Amino acid sequence: MMSADVKLQALARESGVYLEFRNLAGQKLEAEPPTLRALLGGLGISTATDAEVSEALAESQASRHGRKLPQELVLEAGSSTSIAVPTRCDWSIVTEDGDEVQTGTSSTAISISDLPVGYFLLHAAGEGWAEDLFLMSPPSHAPNLSETAGSNRCWGVCGALYGLRSRTNGGLGNYSDLGVAAAALGRSGAQFFGINPIHALGWAAAETISPYSPTHRGFFNTDHLSAASDLGPGPREELIDYAEFRAMHRAVLETEYAVFAQKSSEAEQAEFRAFCEASGEALNDFATFEALSEKHGEAFQRWPKALQAPGRQSQLEAGERATFHKWMQWRAEEQIGAAQQSATSSGMRLGLYLDLAVGPRRGGAEVWTNGNTIAEGISIGAPPDHLSPKGQSWDLAAHAPNKLSANHYQPLRSMLGSLMNKCGLLRIDHALGLLRSYWLPDDGSPGGYVSQPFEALLAVIAIEAYRNGCVVVGEDLGLVPDGFREGLNKAGLYSYAVWQYETDDQEQLVAPQDLRPFSLACFGTHDTPTMAGFWHGIDIDWWREIGWLNSNETHDRHGVRAHQRNGLRRLCELGANMDTGRIGDTIHAGLAGSQAAMIAIQLDDLFGVTEAQNLPGTINQHPNWRRRLPVPIEQFPVAASPARLRDLMPTTRNSIHENEQKGLEPCPK
């Protein structure tokens, strides 16, 4: 007879909870019973007593052995397969809209073939049994550059939307600015313009400014709405005062909505109603949450019990105020769509490059509206490593894989469709989460890993990307399990290569020719030091100022950085007296000479900015998400930095020999 702990481990194994994992040092860490119970609880499995563990294990095994058909199946579009059945049965396959596409009667196996890209439900019924099987039929791969941009290589620019300056935005970059900036960069030859996540942050979340802490990833940030009236130029200060801007901006939005509600034409009202109808219950629930949050606070767990889930009572309480939030989402979708149109009209083949954050805030709208798929009692984060000895808790919610599967991945499908409809390129942050997710229990137990349905999630991503003609990048930085990148790339997702993270055993930066070919490569991101900051070790000084490094550690890190600078000097033949602007051009030329499919250049680097947009692991110790760009968008067309990009990285991508002819120092193979 199995002991209680052995049964608990068996249940965890059945449910996809890791019994052990290895940390960055290679040490094996075993999940203790409190962790296993907490993570199983997150999956909705009760394990408070040994009797509950025994019962849950028996139910899991009975369900697995008792089914006649798999619960779900990934079948590449146009291919065929056979599914064994135990008895004679009648079966049919229907689309999402309920249209029947295949039907038959089978005695030993159901034969399926030639399904188009999409989602389907197979229903089979025999004597004494009836079951459904969810079918995902992805393309052979997500769209690639050749199919979408007409070339297997391209380059683009990334920057902070909130940091864009203009004569009219009042102090925070908006969606109209986005279109203007993208068009200017497109005319310089860029094929995409990447920005920070633009997920909804929440009307009542007064302190939230991080784009990676959204209330809902399927709706858009209204801080970036362009007002119909001119808000005037923003303050000259480098840092954004969100409270000041929001007070001014929201008063304008309230006035504009009042005018719309009272004086808009019937045609405009009809267009808004059509948008609301097409957006369905998802928009209705989101707007209800936003209206309720204004009355009861940003975290729904502290609301009256009757309002802690969508429903009739919540809608009644929200009242007409919900319409205001629907109107803002309508405006946001229109403006983002217009920005994408401006980008592509300027010559950008891909246009906007958007970002899908890891997860939503635990008290926010996405959790409130998806109570049937959210993992309870846990947050997602990262295990202890050399950068964070105690690990990291991101205070973000996770969708439980078993619940997500039971609901046919609808929350993910909806989010991806919403974003991919507005861009030509999408980055999925922390793509390792498609394979496994690190969960931290609320009860204080150590964290542990939970498996994710990798094949099914890749299928959903590929289907939604195919439907929207969107290229996908999976952020796969750091150490990843064997075969993970190969799985991503086989599904058509490009890898992500940040050059300043790509080092050898001696902590030297690798040659650009060693950057992964099927990837989007860049020197840095919003989470890393800028090129000037890297060169001068500004990030190391910040770590010392915050107290993360002592004097000796600071000295050692500056020594490593000097070692890396010398390596770059050798790789790119940098002269001893070059200024950082020329150094930046030469490093960018090195990226241009790599084999990476896509190259991304940071606006901060183009304009010589020293300080980083974000310092990971900090909240108030560093001015994260607040830095404005030094160059207003009106000057982008004539600014020297974007103008020289056409020569530095033309659409056809220079060879190293061509760069030499332009006087740019090459990075040797």
Side-chain angles (χ1 to χ4, degrees), residues 260-284:
F260 168 81
Q262 297 169 15
K263 299 181 180 180
S264 59
S265 66
E266 178 54 37
E268 196 174 11
Q269 289 282 354
E271 187 179 344
F272 174 54
R273 288 194 298 270
F275 165 78
C276 293
E277 184 175 347
S279 301
E281 205 59 31
L283 175 63
N284 193 45

Side-chain angles (χ1 to χ4, degrees), residues 494-568:
Y494 289 81
S495 290
Y496 193 59
V498 179
W499 194 2
Q500 62 182 276
Y501 284 165
E502 299 286 332
T503 58
D504 59 22
D505 293 340
Q506 305 302 314
E507 296 193 76
Q508 286 273 28
L509 272 61
V510 303
Q513 291 304 312
D514 291 333
L515 297 175
R516 295 183 292 280
F518 199 72
S519 72
L520 183 149
C522 52
F523 185 81
T525 75
H526 57 267
D527 279 338
T528 72
T530 64
M531 199 171 284
F534 176 88
W535 198 256
H536 296 296
I538 301 300
D539 55 317
I540 300 171
D541 294 335
W542 269 107
W543 278 44
R544 168 64 191 278
E545 182 174 334
I546 289 170
W548 292 351
L549 300 175
N550 59 34
S551 298
N552 290 335
E553 291 168 333
T554 301
H555 179 270
D556 290 344
R557 286 196 178 234
H558 274 298
V560 170
R561 186 62 54 81
H563 188 54
Q564 292 174 333
R565 282 197 301 271
N566 288 332
L568 275 174

Side-chain angles (χ1 to χ4, degrees), residues 18-284:
Y18 281 50
L19 299 182
E20 62 185 35
F21 67 92
R22 293 190 180 275
N23 62 17
L24 288 180
Q27 300 168 317
K28 185 171 70 175
L29 303 178
E30 296 184 356
E32 298 295 330
T35 293
L36 297 180
R37 291 179 189 275
L39 300 190
L40 287 166
L43 296 169
I45 302 171
S46 298
T47 60
T49 65
D50 292 344
E52 286 182 335
V53 171
S54 297
E55 182 180 349
L57 178 60
E59 288 180 359
S60 177
Q61 293 174 335
S63 175
R64 179 163 53 85
H65 294 299
R67 279 191 65 92
K68 309 296 189 294
L69 303 175
Q71 182 174 315
E72 64 185 34
L73 178 68
V74 175
L75 177 64
E76 185 179 309
S79 62
S80 61
T81 192
S82 293
I83 304 171
V85 290
T87 64
R88 177 184 174 85
C89 66
D90 297 318
W91 58 271
S92 64
I93 299 176
V94 298
T95 67
E96 297 171 87
D97 297 325
D99 298 327
E100 192 174 84
V101 293
Q102 292 185 26
T103 185
T105 299
S106 302
S107 298
T108 58
I110 297 172
S111 296
I112 307 171
S113 62
D114 297 325
L115 287 175
V117 173
Y119 308 102
F120 304 89
L121 196 65
L122 185 154
H123 179 75
E127 185 175 352
W129 66 276
E131 287 184 0
D132 289 333
L133 184 162
F134 179 54
L135 273 166
M136 290 159 277
S137 181
S140 59
H141 59 268
N144 58 39
L145 289 178
S146 294
E147 295 162 342
T148 55
S151 172
N152 60 4
R153 290 181 176 179
C154 71
W155 66 274
V157 179
C158 293
L161 172 58
Y162 54 84
L164 295 180
R165 294 179 185 263
S166 76
R167 289 193 293 263
T168 62
N169 69 22
L172 192 82
N174 60 41
Y175 298 129
S176 294
D177 297 335
L178 175 60
V180 173
L185 295 168
R187 288 190 290 272
S188 293
Q191 296 302 301
F192 60 82
F193 181 36
I195 56 173
N196 48 279
I198 51 174
H199 308 311
L201 295 185
W203 191 260
E207 302 301 319
T208 300
I209 64 173
S210 170
Y212 290 93
S213 185
T215 186
H216 199 304
R217 294 172 293 168
F219 295 93
F220 295 109
N221 187 343
T222 56
D223 284 341
H224 299 305
L225 277 175
S226 176
S229 55
D230 184 341
L231 302 182
R236 293 184 178 182
E237 285 79 10
E238 178 190 357
L239 299 181
I240 298 165
D241 184 331
Y242 279 86
E244 181 180 274
F245 172 80
R246 283 170 174 167
M248 178 267 295
H249 182 242
R250 292 182 175 189
V252 172
L253 292 180
E254 296 272 13
T255 299
E256 291 184 0
Y257 173 67
V259 172
F260 168 81
Q262 297 169 15
K263 299 181 180 180
S264 59
S265 66
E266 178 54 37
E268 196 174 11
Q269 289 282 354
E271 187 179 344
F272 174 54
R273 288 194 298 270
F275 165 78
C276 293
E277 184 175 347
S279 301
E281 205 59 31
L283 175 63
N284 193 45

Side-chain angles (χ1 to χ4, degrees), residues 25 48 124 150 195 207 235 254 267 305 358 363 372 432 435 450 476 504 594 603 659 663:
I195 56 173
E207 302 301 319
E254 296 272 13
K305 189 71 174 176
V358 174
N372 56 341
L432 183 57
L435 179 68
V450 175
D476 54 352
D504 59 22
S594 76
L603 273 179
N659 279 334

Side-chain angles (χ1 to χ4, degrees), residues 6 111 142 160 190 228 230 244 271 324 339 344 385 406 463 624 647:
V6 171
S111 296
D230 184 341
E244 181 180 274
E271 187 179 344
F324 169 62
T344 55
D385 59 27
I463 291 170
N624 298 332
D647 291 333

Side-chain angles (χ1 to χ4, degrees), residues 562-585:
H563 188 54
Q564 292 174 333
R565 282 197 301 271
N566 288 332
L568 275 174
R569 289 185 187 280
R570 289 191 297 272
L571 281 173
C572 296
E573 300 179 6
L574 297 172
N577 297 318
M578 275 188 180
D579 60 34
T580 53
R582 186 61 174 167
I583 288 170
D585 280 358

